[in-house]
């Protein structure tokens, strides 16, 4: 749908003079959810279809079968490798067991996964990722092996990340504060962080009400249906034209109930889901914020360490110890580490700045579409309901 | 992109007309509550009236301001080209409907009345009787108080404005307490047997945990007003002297202790004939004081009659004497079914109102959340794209808040229209009562008939025994004379009872006809009103 259109192609601009063929593109679609397995082990698999002209992909089209945990694997890998970039968020795991296989949930998840993979495919850096290639091309067994291999490694550095991986949880300032006594003193950055944390609260509230709005549509639909039935029964007590009027009104009411259910679904997929996506995106940003803090802290620690190392080194020099050579080697290593950590940190900072701008742009577009869908859906519904009721009036006039 | 599009969208045509129906409701929320205890509507309605304190409910400005029309709803064209003209068509019949106040019309109810084209009002032409109940005041009973501090009660000011000739005046103001209303109701039910006399408001004991005294008093005030207005709408009762007295005679009304006991006993036992415990009165002409049919009845007969009437009404075990009673049974069946469906429909209507209310609330909350978000984004905006987003959000928020307010108005109207269901449920109780008047009158006849036959057989026995004995046994002759006298009296009573019964049957019949035709009109109006309001609301909220 429009999500595909939105996040379609690659981003390289062709110069008019170059004789090269069409622009590079990489589009993915996630389709055909199918239930696999039985009982507790049961899960949903999706068909992932890749269409591309990237040279590394060896072919214009490839179809693979993936499941939710494969997507999680991809997200985790990208998060590790591309610090500073806001990795697109994944839809949540389902907490309620019986909801897990409902058609609506599956459709919502499919849509969200499709958006997820396409955002990666259209991000100028992420689309180059080797892990993405693996994900899109490897057969299922390879994928499974890759998945089970990697889960062990991410225990330690991901300790911190665990909190952010469960996107339902809210990260408090307290947690961050406890973990990093050393913080950047960058007022601009502070403002940005502040913005992100508050934004999450506001969005969560808006999303809560959007969810309720969907529910209300369902409830109103149900009560219109019940009311219609009751009115029809009442019509049975009356004769002739009045009885007919009652039963037509009842029938109309039941029909409108269906419209409301439809609108509820429309709102769910096109208004509430985008809001939820917004919330998840913000949570993903928070994970990057934590990464940046980590990188900063690491760099500071190394910088501290190297100071002491210098002192030690000088001591050893004075003493002309045999340990000097080794100490010098260690010192050089440490210097390299310090440089590396500084580079890493600065990369994150630079990337984040770009990403914030991209995020804001993207969100304005996404929200614009979502609001449009809301307004369109409501207006359309109102019009068709009004016309339905309206058609009854001449009949009612005839009764009186 | 969406953002830039917004700036180019012209504000679409929005209807500028003042639509009185949806506008008027803010002030009349208090009209909505009722103290009818036989429906849960009460709870839905009191919630509505108390929720008028919701922060979102400021008087809706129908003249829409630019911010409130949502450009996003009208991307480039007007999908409702006919909306102004159509809305005009809807409005005009409503405004043209007789503003001649039907009997019992009160000012704050005229929206409801407009849609309720009552055939009765048209027949009556220019006669009117407008009643208002207001100004509840606490008064203390100074005499007779064993309780230190005295007995306190509430009185209500009853204002009447009328041009009915018999009232000999046009404006009256009296103070009445609830006990007076009970007495009026009792007198009416005694004096108008067979008629569908509106049921008086409940005496429900105030549960202090549930309700504040003020709320209770207000509920009662509304209930009294509704009750009196219903009385006045009844073509026969509005002419009654009892009502006239109640409305016009100043000063305290005499309290009848016996009536109090009677009404206490009878509350909740509506099927029992009232004549058992008070004086039995005949129908319409109150001047025509009928001698109590049971003047010399002994206690045993009273209980016999009681039993018969109970059996007759609730057990239906006695085969009906006349063919017409089959008709009566049929009518009762139909009525019972109607009652069931009304109850069901009323329940579903209540759910519908609740669902509409919830929808309105959630929309309002969503709107508020977005307004807060908008403010937040604007406060923190560094990039222009954020401001664009904030502007988009604001439009949606404003539209949502507007829709939310209109949902409240819609609901108040929906409640008013569907209240007709409610009214008819109450009316059916009156019908039951009228039918039981008939049953007990029939039962009286049957009791008297069996009395007569037993008297006759006793008399016959006496005659045979006295003929066996010779001569004048004075005591026996005297007894025979007594018996003959009893027979005469009982025969008189039976004749009167039969006359009463026939009259009641007539009343039943004419009232049923009236009910059937009025119900037609009222239900059609209810449906029209309901549907019209839905349409109007949808246009207002989304166009």
């Amino acid at each position: 749908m429009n999500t595909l259109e939105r996040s379609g192609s690659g981003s390289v601009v062709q110069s008019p003079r170059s004789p090269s063929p069409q622009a590079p593109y990489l589009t993915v679609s996630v389709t055909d959810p199918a239930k696999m397995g039985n009982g507790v082990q049961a899960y949903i698999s999706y068909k992932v279809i890749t269409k591309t002209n990237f040279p590394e992909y060896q072919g214009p089209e490839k179809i693979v079968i993936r499941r939710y945990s494969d997507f999680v694997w991809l997200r985790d890998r990208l998060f590790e490798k591309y610090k500073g970039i806001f990795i697109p968020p994944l839809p949540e795991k389902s907490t309620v067991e019986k909801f897990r296989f409902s058609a609506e949930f599956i459709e919502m998840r499919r849509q969200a996964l499709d958006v997820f993979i396409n955002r990666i495919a259209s991000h100028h850096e992420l689309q180059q990722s080797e892990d993405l290639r693996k994900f899109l091309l490897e057969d299922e067994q390879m994928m499974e092996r890759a998945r089970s291999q990697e889960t062990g490694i991410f225990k330690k550095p991901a300790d911190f990340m665990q909190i952010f991986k469960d996107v339902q949880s809210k990260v408090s300032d307290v947690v961050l504060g406890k973990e990093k006594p050393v913080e950047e003193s960058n007022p601009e950055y502070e403002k940005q962080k502040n913005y992100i944390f508050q934004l999450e609260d506001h969005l969560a509230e808006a999303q809560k009400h959007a969810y309720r709005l969907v529910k209300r549509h369902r409830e109103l639909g149900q009560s219109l249906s019940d009311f219609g039935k009751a009115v029809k029964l009442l019509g049975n007590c009356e004769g002739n034209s009045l009885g007919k009027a009652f039963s037509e009104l009842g029938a109309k009411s039941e029909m409108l109930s269906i419209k409301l259910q439809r609108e509820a679904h429309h709102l769910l997929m096109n208004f509430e889901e985008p809001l939820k996506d917004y919330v998840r995106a913000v949570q993903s940003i928070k994970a990057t914020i934590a990464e940046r803090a980590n990188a900063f802290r690491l760099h500071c620690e190394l910088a501290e360490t190297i100071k002491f190392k210098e002192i030690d080194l000088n001591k050893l020099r004075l003493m002309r110890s045999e340990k000097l050579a080794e100490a010098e080697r260690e010192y050089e290593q440490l210097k390299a580490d310090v440089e590396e950590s500084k580079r890493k940190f600065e990369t994150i900072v630079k990337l984040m700045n770009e990403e914030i701008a991209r995020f804001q742009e993207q969100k304005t577009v996404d929200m614009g579409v979502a609001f449009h869908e809301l307004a369109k859906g409501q207006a359309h519904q109102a019009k068709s309901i009004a016309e339905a009721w309206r058609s009854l009036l001449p009949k009612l006039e005839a009764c009186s | 992109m969406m953002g830039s599009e917004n700036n180019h969208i012209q504000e679409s045509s929005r209807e500028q007309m003042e639509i009185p129906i949806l506008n008027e409701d803010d002030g009349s929320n208090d009209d909505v509550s009722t103290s009818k205890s036989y429906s849960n509507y009460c709870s839905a309605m009191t919630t509505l009236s108390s929720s008028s304190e919701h922060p979102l409910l400021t008087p809706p400005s129908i003249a829409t301001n630019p911010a409130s029309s949502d450009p996003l709803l009208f991307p480039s064209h007007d999908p409702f080209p006919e909306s102004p003209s159509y809305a005009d068509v809807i409005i005009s019949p409503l405004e043209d409907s007789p503003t001649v106040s039907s009997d019992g019309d009160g000012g704050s109810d005229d929206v409801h009345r407009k849609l309720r084209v009552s055939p009765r009002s048209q027949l009556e032409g220019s006669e009117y009787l407008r009643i208002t109940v207001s100004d509840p005041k606490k008064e203390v009973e100074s005499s007779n108080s064993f309780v230190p501090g005295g007995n306190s009660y509430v009185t209500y000011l009853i204002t009447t404005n009328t041009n009915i000739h018999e009232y000999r005046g046009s404006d009256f103001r009296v103070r009445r307490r609830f006990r007076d209303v009970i007495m009026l109701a009792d007198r009416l039910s005694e004096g108008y047997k067979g008629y569908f006399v509106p049921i008086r408001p409940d005496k429900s004991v105030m549960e202090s945990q549930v309700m504040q005294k003020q709320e209770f008093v207000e509920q009662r005030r509304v209930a009294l007003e509704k009750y009196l207005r219903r009385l006045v709408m009844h073509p026969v009762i509005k002419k009654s002297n009892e009502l006239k007295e109640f409305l016009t005679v100043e000063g305290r009304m005499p309290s009848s202790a016996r009536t109090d006991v009677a009404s206490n006993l009878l509350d909740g036992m509506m099927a029992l004939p009232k004549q058992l415990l008070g004086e039995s009165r005949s129908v319409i002409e109150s001047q025509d004081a009928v001698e109590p049919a049971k003047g010399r009845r002994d206690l045993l007969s009273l209980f016999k009659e009681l039993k018969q009437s109970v059996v007759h009404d609730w057990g239906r075990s006695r085969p009906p004497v006349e063919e017409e009673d089959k008709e009566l049974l049929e009518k009762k069946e139909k009525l019972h079914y109607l009652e069931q469906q009304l109850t069901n429909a009323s329940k579903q209507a209540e759910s519908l109102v609740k669902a509409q209310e919830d929808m309105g609330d959630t929309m309002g909350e969503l709107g508020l959340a977005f307004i807060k978000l908008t403010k937040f984004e604007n406060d923190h905006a560094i990039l222009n794209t954020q401001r664009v987003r904030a502007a988009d959000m604001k439009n949606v928020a404003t539209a949502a808040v507007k829709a939310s307010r209109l949902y409240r108005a819609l609901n108040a109207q929906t409640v008013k229209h569907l209240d007709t269901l409610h009214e008819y449920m109450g009316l059916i109780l009156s019908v039951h009562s009228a039918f039981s008047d008939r049953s007990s009158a029939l039962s009286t006849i049957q009791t008297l008939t069996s009395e007569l036959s037993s008297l006759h057989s006793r008399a016959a026995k006496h005659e045979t025994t006295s003929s066996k004995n010779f001569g004048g046994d004075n005591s026996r002759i005297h007894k025979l004379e007594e018996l003959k006298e009893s027979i005469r009296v009982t025969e008189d009573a039976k004749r009167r009872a039969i006359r009463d019964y026939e009259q009641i049957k007539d009343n039943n019949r004419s009232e049923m006809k009236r009910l059937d035709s009025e119900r037609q009109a009222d239900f059609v109006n209810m449906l029209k009103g309901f549907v019209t309001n839905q349409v109007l609301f949808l246009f207002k909220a989304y166009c």
Side-chain angles (χ1 to χ4, degrees):
Chain A
M1 292 199 48
N2 50 1
T3 53
L4 269 184
E5 293 161 9
R6 198 164 19 94
S7 45
S9 53
S11 46
V12 177
V13 177
Q14 288 292 311
S15 106
R17 267 179 273 126
S18 85
S20 50
Q22 56 176 148
Y25 66 89
L26 173 67
T27 41
V28 190
S29 67
V30 178
T31 57
D32 291 339
K35 182 169 175 189
M36 314 287 269
N38 285 311
V40 194
Q41 307 282 359
Y43 64 93
I44 302 282
S45 73
Y46 304 87
K47 216 185 260 181
V48 177
I49 306 172
T50 308
K51 294 199 171 86
T52 179
N53 66 355
F54 282 18
E56 308 85 4
Y57 277 72
Q58 299 155 357
E61 184 172 309
K62 176 83 182 187
I63 301 181
V64 295
I65 305 292
R66 293 287 177 259
R67 54 186 290 187
Y68 178 75
S69 21
D70 296 329
F71 288 84
V72 174
W73 171 90
L74 177 63
R75 197 263 321 263
D76 291 348
R77 301 285 305 171
L78 292 176
F79 186 73
E80 265 303 304
K81 295 243 174 77
Y82 292 90
K83 296 196 203 286
I85 294 184
F86 301 158
I87 308 299
L90 272 178
E92 300 84 4
K93 277 216 257 268
S94 164
T95 42
V96 182
E97 182 56 37
K98 51 177 185 161
F99 191 44
R100 207 152 59 93
F101 291 109
S102 78
E104 200 171 72
F105 176 76
I106 291 174
E107 176 53 22
M108 271 169 37
R109 178 171 270 199
R110 188 208 61 75
Q111 185 174 284
L113 291 176
D114 187 291
V115 168
F116 166 78
I117 200 77
N118 277 292
R119 281 193 181 133
I120 295 173
S122 56
H123 190 288
H124 57 94
E125 285 233 28
L126 294 177
Q127 70 185 192
Q128 312 289 337
S129 146
E130 165 114 23
D131 292 311
L132 175 65
R133 213 161 29 247
K134 262 202 210 142
F135 177 87
L136 292 175
L137 300 179
E138 305 251 321
D139 65 47
E140 286 79 70
Q141 278 109 322
M142 293 292 284
M143 201 58 234
E144 197 173 324
R145 215 178 301 153
R147 232 187 328 128
S148 45
Q149 266 178 5
E150 311 293 354
T151 36
I153 299 183
F154 294 128
K155 274 293 163 57
K156 180 54 177 60
D159 267 355
F160 211 123
M161 294 313 116
Q162 273 312 114
I163 308 168
F164 298 101
K165 273 187 185 150
D166 180 11
V167 288
Q168 303 249 331
S169 71
K170 297 182 83 170
V171 178
S172 62
D173 282 332
V174 178
V175 172
L176 285 174
K178 278 202 196 121
E179 287 288 333
K180 62 176 176 75
V182 187
E183 269 189 50
E184 299 175 55
S185 57
N186 178 344
E188 284 271 333
Y189 183 57
E190 277 307 305
K191 272 211 292 200
Q192 276 188 349
K193 278 199 288 180
N194 206 20
Y195 168 78
I196 290 294
F197 287 127
Q198 283 185 51
L199 181 64
E200 187 187 13
D201 289 338
H202 279 112
L203 285 176
E205 196 187 323
Q207 189 248 316
K208 184 175 78 171
H209 293 305
Y211 166 75
R212 280 205 200 131
L213 191 66
V214 171
K215 199 163 89 141
R216 300 300 185 211
H217 275 72
R218 295 216 171 100
E219 288 166 357
L220 184 59
Q222 184 61 50
S223 68
L224 272 171
S225 168
D226 292 338
F227 179 70
K229 290 197 177 79
V231 165
K232 273 163 134 178
L233 284 175
L234 197 53
N236 290 341
C237 304
E238 307 292 339
N240 304 331
S241 58
L242 181 59
K244 236 180 96 191
F246 266 109
S247 78
E248 290 204 22
L249 193 124
K252 206 59 104 166
S253 192
E254 283 180 306
M255 188 263 280
L256 291 178
S257 150
I258 298 174
K259 286 193 203 274
L260 270 151
Q261 299 293 355
R262 243 186 262 145
E263 176 64 14
H265 183 76
H266 173 253
L267 272 178
L268 178 72
M269 303 300 285
N270 300 94
F271 179 66
E272 198 216 330
E273 208 20 57
L275 263 177
K276 254 180 72 201
D277 180 73
Y278 201 163
V279 174
R280 290 181 204 128
V282 170
Q283 286 165 339
S284 169
I285 297 178
K286 280 163 72 179
T288 306
I289 288 176
E291 276 297 330
R292 174 164 160 166
N294 255 1
F296 182 74
R297 185 177 45 109
L298 184 64
H299 172 70
C300 289
E301 280 172 7
L302 286 174
E304 278 288 303
T305 312
I306 206 173
K307 281 198 204 125
F308 287 120
K309 202 68 181 178
E310 261 191 62
I311 296 173
D312 279 348
L313 204 59
N314 288 334
K315 270 203 209 131
L316 287 176
R317 282 214 185 95
L318 287 173
M319 287 166 26
R320 293 176 201 283
S321 157
E322 314 96 26
K323 300 203 184 122
L324 183 61
E326 198 188 317
E328 270 172 348
R329 267 197 307 274
E330 281 172 10
Y331 179 76
E332 286 308 312
Q333 183 59 52
L334 206 52
K335 247 188 24 184
D337 287 346
V338 169
E339 282 305 313
E340 176 70 12
S341 74
K342 180 158 177 234
R343 189 192 57 81
K344 276 199 173 136
F345 172 72
E346 280 169 357
T347 308
I348 292 181
V349 172
K350 174 168 99 70
L351 282 173
M352 269 187 87
N353 284 335
E354 290 167 10
E355 288 285 286
I356 281 273
R358 190 182 62 86
F359 163 76
Q360 296 287 23
E361 286 282 346
Q362 189 63 55
K363 278 312 158 195
T364 302
V365 171
D366 290 347
M367 279 299 108
V369 172
F371 292 148
H372 179 69
E373 287 296 315
L374 170 69
K376 187 177 80 165
Q378 292 287 296
H380 180 77
Q381 176 187 250
K383 178 179 179 199
S384 73
I385 294 181
E387 279 179 6
W389 284 132
R390 192 168 122 183
S391 68
L392 278 178
L393 280 172
K395 298 181 186 157
L396 289 176
E397 283 298 331
C399 286
S400 51
Chain B
M1 293 278 93
M2 213 52 225
S4 50
E5 258 181 40
N6 276 343
N7 301 329
H8 296 133
I9 292 164
Q10 296 302 319
E11 313 235 89
S12 48
S13 66
R14 40 200 146 85
E15 35 167 294
Q16 293 290 344
M17 59 208 106
E18 301 282 355
I19 297 179
I21 294 171
L22 291 176
N23 204 4
E24 248 174 19
D25 260 87
D26 274 340
S28 52
N29 274 336
D30 45 0
D31 251 318
V32 162
S33 56
T34 174
S35 70
K36 290 256 173 64
S37 63
Y38 46 78
S39 160
N40 290 331
Y41 231 8
C42 200
S43 55
M45 292 205 251
T46 44
T47 325
L48 276 178
S49 60
S50 65
S51 62
S52 61
E53 276 73 66
H54 194 286
L56 281 181
L57 192 67
T58 58
S61 52
I62 300 299
T64 54
N65 54 58
S68 69
S69 82
D70 186 354
L72 281 175
L73 290 175
F74 274 93
S76 52
H77 64 282
D78 180 357
F80 301 90
E82 77 263 72
S83 74
S85 53
Y86 175 71
D88 273 333
V89 170
I90 297 185
I91 291 171
S92 49
L94 295 171
E95 298 201 21
D96 288 343
S97 67
T99 42
V100 168
S101 323
S102 50
D103 297 346
D105 192 9
S108 50
D109 238 353
D110 63 51
V111 167
H112 186 45
R113 293 285 173 251
K114 272 184 190 170
L115 289 170
R116 211 181 156 131
V117 182
S118 163
R120 301 163 257 164
S121 66
Q122 280 155 359
L123 279 175
E124 253 52 274
S126 57
E127 274 195 341
Y128 60 83
L129 228 176
R130 296 193 201 108
I131 299 184
T132 323
V133 176
S134 58
D135 192 28
K137 252 205 283 217
K138 190 159 149 183
E139 291 184 22
V140 181
E141 188 151 11
S142 45
S143 57
N144 277 10
S145 53
F146 296 106
V147 184
N151 226 354
S152 76
Y153 55 90
V154 179
T155 63
Y156 303 84
L157 179 65
I158 314 223
T159 334
T160 309
N161 173 252
T162 178
N163 69 349
I164 293 183
H165 184 250
E166 289 82 349
Y167 273 66
R168 302 196 194 161
S170 64
D171 290 276
F172 301 92
R173 295 162 67 90
V174 295
R175 281 219 155 252
R176 295 284 179 252
R177 56 183 290 192
F178 193 70
R179 212 163 61 179
D180 302 330
V181 177
I182 296 179
M183 199 174 71
L184 170 67
D186 290 343
R187 292 171 77 193
L188 287 175
S189 73
E190 281 186 29
Y192 290 86
K193 291 199 189 298
Y195 286 101
F196 298 168
V197 181
I199 306 285
R200 65 158 170 80
D202 257 5
K203 257 205 280 196
S204 49
V205 177
M206 180 174 69
E207 296 150 41
S208 51
Q209 298 90 2
V210 176
M211 212 179 295
Q212 301 290 333
K213 171 126 197 203
Q214 263 186 333
E215 277 181 40
F216 177 76
V217 165
E218 175 57 20
Q219 259 197 1
R220 185 165 267 191
R221 184 198 68 75
V222 170
L224 289 181
E225 197 174 72
K226 272 194 169 183
Y227 172 63
L228 291 173
R229 288 177 181 175
R230 264 184 225 122
L231 287 182
V232 154
M233 284 214 289
H234 192 293
V236 175
I237 290 181
K238 79 173 181 205
K239 298 262 159 71
S240 81
N241 284 332
E242 291 90 340
L243 182 63
K244 185 157 72 113
E245 225 176 273
F246 180 89
L247 292 174
T248 60
V249 174
E250 295 200 14
R252 297 259 206 96
M253 295 205 80
S255 66
S256 154
R258 187 179 39 171
T259 320
D260 274 346
V261 169
S263 66
N264 279 334
L265 271 175
L266 288 174
D267 253 316
M269 294 163 70
M270 62 173 196
L272 284 178
K274 296 211 167 102
Q275 61 200 37
L276 281 181
L277 294 165
E279 291 186 317
S280 83
R281 299 259 293 276
S282 177
V283 282
I284 329 167
E285 301 98 294
S286 27
Q287 307 99 285
D288 189 28
V290 172
E291 229 167 293
K294 320 171 197 43
R296 298 189 198 164
R297 207 55 53 81
D298 59 19
L299 214 57
L300 196 59
S301 317
L302 268 172
F303 276 105
K304 246 203 281 182
E305 195 152 343
L306 182 67
K307 182 175 161 223
Q308 274 192 348
S309 70
V310 166
V311 165
H312 193 86
D313 259 329
W314 296 344
R316 288 194 210 152
S317 54
R318 289 186 69 89
V321 179
E322 297 133 65
E323 208 175 81
E324 278 157 330
D325 278 356
K326 270 201 211 121
E327 188 189 309
L328 175 65
L329 279 180
E330 231 182 76
K331 282 240 143 60
K332 277 188 166 183
E333 288 283 342
K334 270 193 169 177
L335 221 71
H336 183 62
Y337 184 67
L338 177 64
E339 193 173 12
Q340 280 179 319
Q341 299 319 319
L342 279 174
T343 311
N344 183 34
S346 163
K347 195 172 77 152
Q348 300 311 333
E350 182 192 326
S351 291
L352 181 64
V353 164
K354 174 106 192 9
Q356 280 177 174
E357 182 182 49
D358 287 343
M359 177 75 88
D361 284 348
T362 300
M363 222 172 255
E365 285 165 354
L366 183 70
L368 275 181
F370 276 134
I371 285 177
K372 281 197 250 170
L373 239 181
T374 305
K375 179 166 191 310
F376 171 73
E377 288 275 21
N378 275 327
D379 287 347
H380 287 78
I382 303 171
L383 304 163
N384 188 49
T385 187
Q386 286 173 286
R387 289 195 194 89
V388 168
R389 192 162 70 232
D392 280 352
M393 234 175 245
K394 182 141 186 249
N395 287 332
V396 168
T398 322
V401 168
K402 170 180 162 198
S404 161
R405 272 198 217 124
L406 288 167
Y407 260 108
R408 271 168 202 287
L410 169 74
N411 252 0
Q413 281 301 311
T414 306
V415 161
K416 273 193 172 166
H417 290 302
L418 297 181
D419 198 32
T420 309
L421 292 170
H422 220 223
E423 286 284 319
Y424 273 86
M425 282 165 70
L427 222 100
I428 289 182
L429 287 184
S430 312
V431 177
H432 284 317
S433 178
F435 281 166
S436 76
D437 288 342
R438 172 170 165 164
S439 305
S440 56
L442 183 62
S443 159
T444 305
I445 294 176
Q446 287 164 347
T447 313
L448 287 171
T449 307
S450 70
E451 273 274 331
L452 263 178
S453 75
S454 85
L455 282 173
H456 275 300
S457 63
R458 277 167 65 194
K461 232 187 263 169
H462 258 273
E463 282 182 349
T464 33
T465 42
S466 57
S467 69
K468 281 185 188 158
N469 299 339
F470 293 115
D473 189 347
N474 275 349
S475 64
R476 279 215 196 96
I477 292 174
H478 186 60
K479 243 197 202 129
L480 195 59
E481 291 285 316
E482 267 188 17
L483 275 174
K484 292 226 167 105
E485 178 63 23
S486 283
I487 290 177
R488 263 198 298 279
V489 165
T490 311
E491 275 174 354
D492 266 345
K494 178 172 169 178
R495 265 193 295 277
R496 263 180 270 122
I498 291 178
R499 201 182 65 191
D500 286 353
Y501 174 68
E502 292 299 326
Q503 183 66 60
I504 290 178
K505 269 206 314 194
D506 275 344
N507 295 344
N508 276 175
R509 250 182 247 121
S510 65
E511 289 278 78
M512 268 322 276
K513 266 181 39 195
R514 183 176 71 90
L515 173 69
D516 282 337
S517 83
E518 281 178 8
R519 191 168 81 246
Q520 280 266 331
D522 287 342
F523 279 171
V524 169
N525 281 330
M526 168 179 81
L527 296 181
K528 276 208 296 205
F530 172 76
V531 170
T532 309
N533 268 303
Q534 291 282 334
V535 174
L536 280 176
F537 157 74
L538 288 164
F539 275 125
K540 283 233 89 188
Y542 295 102
C543 302

